[in-house]
Amino acid sequence: MFEKRRPGAVLFDRDGTLIRDVPYNGDPGLVEPMPGAVEAVARLRRAEVPVAVVTNQSGVAKGLLSADDMDQVNARVEELLGPFDAWAICVHDDADGCTCRKPAPGLVIRAAAILDVSPRDCVVVGDIGRDMDAARAAGARGILVPTKQTRREEIEQAAEVADDLTDVVERVLSDMDGPGLAVSAPWARALGWSRW
Ligand SMILES: [Mg+2]
Ligand SMILES: [Zn+2]
């Protein structure tokens, strides 16, 4: 038997990835899982792969929803998808110049730190280029799951593109079989820390 290489964690973007994107949503009643999300997260848990959420919520900085609204939406996400091992949330906006708002790597680094794993052993799953840029900047493997809203150039620039969350889990868990994949995988060239 090959020794299985287990990802340290899978870090999911929230809006447009785990749940349907309702811009600046503060209403738990509008939370709706993306197709395959419930089963995808459940399969990772069964494989004992930690799961986390890394999400930009600039609506808080913009005053479009309160932190309490956001907490209630996140609680609803966990009601529908089950508990996550970590949440890393940026409540800033572009003009704030923080180090956490994707495409900066801060959320990925924070979630990895909470889970006590290296960002290099994490998989970041998202629906737009900002998610992939954050993954790359943190040294993580990024997998893009495009929606109809994803821009074509962001799909073309992604190191790895999956059809849906089911496909993501197949990719992540199949890498647990067989040696050497971490070295030969196409995303390996993107590994490395960047200054930020
Ligand atoms: Mg998104
Ligand atoms: Zn931030």
Side-chain angles (χ1 to χ4, degrees):
M1 288 290 289
F2 293 123
E3 186 169 354
K4 296 192 172 185
R5 181 181 166 82
R6 182 182 299 274
V10 178
L11 316 180
F12 291 92
D13 169 54
R14 197 192 78 178
D15 301 323
T17 301
L18 285 176
I19 62 173
R20 292 202 186 278
D21 188 11
V22 179
Y24 310 121
N25 180 32
D27 179 356
L30 297 181
V31 174
E32 183 186 351
M34 291 292 280
V38 173
E39 178 58 17
V41 175
R43 280 181 67 188
L44 291 170
R45 289 195 190 100
R46 285 199 299 272
E48 298 182 353
V49 175
V51 288
V53 182
V54 287
T55 179
N56 284 355
Q57 294 297 324
S58 66
V60 176
K62 290 183 169 80
L64 298 174
L65 72 161
S66 69
D68 186 57
D69 294 335
M70 182 187 71
D71 287 343
Q72 291 188 42
V73 169
N74 291 341
R76 180 63 179 154
V77 170
E78 292 204 320
E79 275 180 17
L80 294 169
L81 293 170
F84 287 85
D85 299 294
W87 284 77
I89 305 171
C90 171
V91 295
H92 311 113
D93 207 347
D94 283 327
D96 294 328
C98 70
T99 57
C100 44
R101 179 166 167 77
K102 295 175 285 185
L107 294 183
V108 175
I109 292 168
R110 190 190 304 166
I114 293 169
L115 299 170
D116 198 23
V117 297
S118 167
R120 288 171 178 263
D121 293 327
C122 291
V123 177
V124 176
V125 183
D127 64 318
I128 62 172
R130 277 179 182 261
D131 302 310
M132 299 301 100
D133 291 344
R136 187 177 295 115
R141 173 185 178 184
I143 303 180
L144 184 74
V145 183
T147 69
K148 289 189 175 66
Q149 279 72 46
T150 308
R151 289 156 58 193
R152 179 196 299 254
E153 58 267 32
E154 296 184 352
I155 299 172
E156 289 167 350
Q157 288 165 8
E160 187 170 352
V161 180
D163 296 333
D164 52 27
L165 293 176
T166 306
D167 186 19
V168 167
V169 173
E170 300 286 343
R171 288 163 182 262
V172 168
L173 296 184
S174 72
D175 288 353
M176 291 168 65
D177 298 316
L181 285 173
V183 175
S184 61
W187 47 268
R189 61 183 153 77
L191 294 182
W193 292 83
S194 64
R195 298 172 64 85
W196 50 282

